[in-house]
Amino acid sequence: MQVMIVLVSLSLCLCSAAFIYLVVVGNRKNNDQTREHQVTYEKIVKESLSFAVVVLVASIPLAVEIVTTTTLAMGSRMLSRDGAIVTRLASIESMAGMDMLCSDKTGTLTLNKMVIQDDCPTFTPNENKETVLFQAALAAKWKEPPRDALDTMVLKTGLKLPQGPKAPADGDAEGESAGPAEVVSQADLEEGQRNLDKLNTFTQIDFTPFDPRTKKTEGKLRGPDGNVFSIAKGAPHVILNMCANKEEIRLDVEKKVHELGTRGIRSLAVGRKDGEDGPWRLLGILTFLDPPRPDTKQTIADAKVLGVEVKMITGDHKVVAVETARQLGMGTLIQGPQGLPMLGEGGSVPPDLVDKYAALIVPSCGFAQVFPEHKYLIVECLRQVGYRCGMTGDGVNDAPALKRADVGIAVQGATDAARAASDIVLTHEGLSVCIEALKIAREIFARLKNFINYRISATLQVLLTPSAIDRADPSTY
């Protein structure tokens, strides 16, 4: 549309100049003619105006908008074949110019397949991996299909509970088939049924689902003996700060988490509180591995060749993020939540966002232990600096950042809120889909650019060719 406005304005200006030129020159030449060959001034104006109108109509590129929209629509069809559904046509142009991509870690850079490790540090007597894992399951809706990767790890991978129907997403029909079931051995089926029967002896009184701000899940239960207790599982530093003896065990916990993180192993702490007013205590730390996707490292290298820098944004512990970034060749300058900007009163963006935080955000390779508002402000800062910024996400908490980015990209399995806030929805897993979509978007943009260049040159040819005005010699009227 801006190209159309520029070309139309240019055509009007040059055609007006041509009209004035023809009237002035035609009138001067007409006066030099003998009386019997002279024409009236009105005829000179009429013929000059007719010529100017013909040139104006010929020079205005009426088809630009139609060709642009058609090309973008055909391009969106090409993108859909590669697993990228376009919800806003103009986002193809934005993606073609993207030079910064903020990507979440779990499920995009990694496989999102949690593998529980044998190492399970405990901080309460008589606890071991099996007892900690079972109590972690009590802080979940074990009678329902798991709705996040951690509950899937605890209930399915850890306790091998029998598979049920897929958890319905917003707007999905309840009980929808989850597709082909995994092959499970008879021994695992029997073990899973025993664990399920044992879980069913407990009554869940209250349940607080995972919140990205609190980084924990909590359940209140009544045991078979009638005693009431609470179980919480979440980020180690969050559960640690809930415990009554946190200062006594802090050094050991932080040392162990850091040691695990340097090996790329993630941690899930489990805490317990007996009674209504009893003290919280740390039972132990479940360890699990979420390995990077095999193609992610090459995909990030391809993105750099295309001029796109990839930054990791994750809620995981910083040492885990550093190790993952190192494995993927992204660099190891990962910032924690300390020093990152926060929203002002009423959810306003800080007026000194660029001046105060750009020097911290721009050089960083990624960000760890962040909250949703951090994601939003990181994207906003990069945009204000001058980057054409893309953002991937899958949850409700990612929606504000997806909406704010120049190109919001909802990854496979994203919630309805994330898809609604996005410009492009991916139907395949991994970051490679984004890079392939980027390549196709640039091909589409190149076609548009070639057509617009042709139309501009054709318009200027009509308007600026001297012979066109020379042929409009008023002496021939």
Side-chain angles (χ1 to χ4, degrees):
M1 181 58 70
Q2 291 180 346
V3 172
M4 277 283 294
I5 293 174
V6 171
L7 290 179
V8 170
S9 301
L10 181 61
S11 298
L12 286 172
C13 292
L14 292 178
C15 287
S16 299
F19 170 70
I20 295 172
Y21 170 81
L22 290 173
V23 171
V24 172
V25 173
N27 189 53
R28 188 190 321 133
K29 289 187 176 183
N30 186 53
N31 292 333
D32 294 338
Q33 300 289 329
T34 59
R35 182 175 295 275
E36 59 271 14
H37 291 97
Q38 288 184 352
V39 297
T40 62
Y41 180 75
E42 289 76 10
K43 185 174 182 180
I44 294 175
V45 173
K46 180 181 177 181
E47 294 295 338
S48 299
L49 182 60
S50 299
F51 176 83
V53 170
V54 170
V55 174
L56 178 63
V57 172
S59 64
I60 293 178
L62 298 175
V64 166
E65 190 171 355
I66 298 172
V67 172
T68 300
T69 303
T70 304
T71 305
L72 290 175
M74 294 178 65
S76 68
R77 185 179 178 184
M78 292 173 58
L79 287 168
S80 67
R81 295 188 189 129
D82 286 315
I85 307 300
V86 178
T87 62
R88 186 174 63 90
L89 283 180
S91 64
I92 297 177
E93 296 181 62
S94 300
M95 190 166 196
M98 185 175 69
D99 54 8
M100 178 69 70
L101 178 61
C102 298
S103 173
D104 60 334
K105 181 176 75 69
T106 305
T108 304
L109 301 178
T110 64
L111 289 169
N112 197 22
K113 293 182 179 179
M114 313 298 184
V115 180
I116 297 180
Q117 306 297 293
D118 293 331
D119 190 6
C120 180
T122 57
F123 299 88
T124 297
N126 301 322
E127 297 289 348
N128 53 46
K129 175 186 173 183
E130 286 69 28
T131 60
V132 172
L133 183 61
F134 182 83
Q135 293 182 83
L138 293 173
K141 288 282 190 180
W142 68 84
K143 295 181 180 180
E144 300 177 4
R147 292 177 177 267
D148 59 58
L150 290 179
D151 280 351
T152 300
M153 177 191 72
V154 171
L155 299 176
K156 302 295 184 186
T157 308
L159 297 185
K160 300 179 175 59
L161 297 191
Q163 289 187 343
K166 185 186 76 172
D170 297 338
D172 288 346
E174 188 141 359
E176 184 183 348
S177 173
E182 296 180 6
V183 178
V184 182
S185 67
Q186 184 62 33
D188 285 346
L189 284 174
E190 293 175 357
E191 181 184 350
Q193 190 59 52
R194 287 195 301 270
N195 288 327
L196 180 60
D197 293 339
K198 187 177 178 181
L199 286 170
N200 286 335
T201 62
F202 293 82
T203 302
Q204 198 169 72
I205 302 171
D206 193 14
F207 177 72
T208 304
F210 181 80
D211 186 335
R213 293 190 63 85
T214 61
K215 297 185 183 296
K216 67 182 177 70
T217 300
E218 187 174 338
K220 185 177 180 182
L221 304 106
R222 180 180 291 108
D225 55 3
N227 292 329
V228 176
F229 62 95
S230 297
I231 299 288
K233 68 176 188 289
H237 67 280
V238 172
I239 304 301
L240 174 63
N241 288 329
M242 295 168 58
C243 296
N245 62 338
K246 58 185 177 183
E247 298 305 330
E248 299 173 18
I249 62 175
R250 182 180 297 277
L251 188 61
D252 292 337
V253 172
E254 291 179 347
K255 180 181 178 181
K256 189 62 181 179
V257 170
H258 186 273
E259 175 195 335
L260 293 167
T262 56
R263 292 153 47 198
I265 298 176
R266 299 170 63 184
S267 306
L268 179 70
V270 183
R272 175 169 177 146
K273 180 181 74 170
D274 292 314
E276 295 288 346
D277 302 316
W280 282 96
R281 65 181 189 275
L282 181 62
L283 301 179
I285 297 177
L286 293 172
T287 59
F288 56 98
L289 194 63
D290 183 17
R293 292 181 176 276
D295 62 339
T296 300
K297 185 173 183 178
Q298 183 59 46
T299 300
I300 293 173
D302 293 342
K304 291 180 180 178
V305 172
L306 294 171
V308 179
E309 182 181 351
V310 181
K311 291 185 185 294
M312 177 196 301
I313 302 182
T314 179
D316 286 346
H317 198 280
K318 181 177 177 180
V319 289
V320 176
V322 170
E323 176 60 19
T324 302
R326 185 193 64 78
Q327 294 178 23
L328 296 176
M330 300 176 67
T332 56
L333 183 57
I334 306 296
Q335 301 292 343
Q338 299 82 9
L340 291 179
M342 300 291 288
L343 291 173
E345 294 183 4
S348 61
V349 176
D352 57 351
L353 183 62
V354 173
D355 296 338
K356 191 173 180 180
Y357 299 102
L360 173 69
I361 291 174
V362 173
S364 300
C365 304
F367 307 90
Q369 296 175 261
V370 298
F371 296 116
E373 63 184 276
H374 289 145
K375 297 181 181 181
Y376 177 87
L377 291 173
I378 289 169
V379 170
E380 175 63 18
C381 181
L382 292 171
R383 290 182 74 250
Q384 289 188 18
V385 168
Y387 287 100
R388 185 68 65 89
C389 189
M391 173 74 192
T392 69
D394 61 353
V396 176
N397 57 307
D398 295 324
L402 291 171
K403 191 72 174 176
R404 190 57 186 160
D406 294 294
V407 186
I409 304 169
V411 300
Q412 191 212 27
T415 62
D416 284 351
R419 291 198 295 265
S422 300
D423 303 306
I424 295 176
V425 179
L426 303 183
T427 58
H428 297 163
E429 295 180 343
L431 190 66
S432 59
V433 184
C434 296
I435 305 306
E436 288 302 317
L438 173 65
K439 294 177 182 177
I440 295 174
R442 290 188 175 180
E443 291 176 5
I444 297 167
F445 184 76
R447 293 177 193 148
L448 288 175
K449 184 179 177 181
N450 291 338
F451 172 74
I452 290 173
N453 286 340
Y454 160 73
R455 284 307 309 161
I456 291 174
S457 62
T459 298
L460 294 178
Q461 182 181 19
V462 171
L463 293 174
L464 301 180
T465 301
S467 60
I469 297 179
D470 292 342
R471 285 196 296 269
D473 188 352
S475 63
T476 62
Y477 295 163

